[in-house]
Amino acid sequence: MENELKELSKYRMEQAKQCIKSAKALVEIEDYKGAANRAYYAVFLLVLGKNILRREFLMWNFLISSVWLL
């Protein structure tokens, strides 16, 4: 299970890197609202990825699931 958690964390970090690249590209075309959205999502993914390694991801999953039920 530890390996799976590390892989999931790595996947989230890669997603965050892609969001940062997208944000930079959006700034280049002066889409600042889109860039802010991608940057915000990158931070969310980074926090999610770090929390997976700290085993706090269960609380995140619960919170995210709860939001979708609203």
Side-chain angles (χ1 to χ4, degrees):
M1 175 136 171
E2 188 68 30
N3 243 3
E4 292 169 351
L5 293 177
K6 286 181 181 179
E7 286 299 315
L8 182 56
S9 177
K10 183 178 175 182
Y11 174 70
R12 297 288 185 225
M13 299 298 178
E14 290 301 319
Q15 283 183 307
K17 286 180 187 177
Q18 182 58 48
C19 286
I20 291 169
K21 287 180 185 177
S22 296
K24 288 179 180 179
L26 290 168
V27 166
E28 290 293 320
I29 61 169
E30 298 181 6
D31 180 1
Y32 302 115
K33 195 176 204 178
N37 176 278
R38 293 291 86 201
Y40 180 88
Y41 193 58
V43 171
F44 172 78
L45 289 168
L46 286 171
V47 170
L48 194 60
K50 288 293 184 182
N51 283 340
I52 287 169
L53 293 177
R54 294 182 182 166
R55 299 187 185 270
E56 296 170 5
F57 71 98
L58 292 174
M59 180 55 79
W60 275 99
N61 286 339
F62 172 75
L63 291 173
I64 292 167
S65 298
S66 298
V67 168
W68 289 112
L69 294 175
L70 295 178

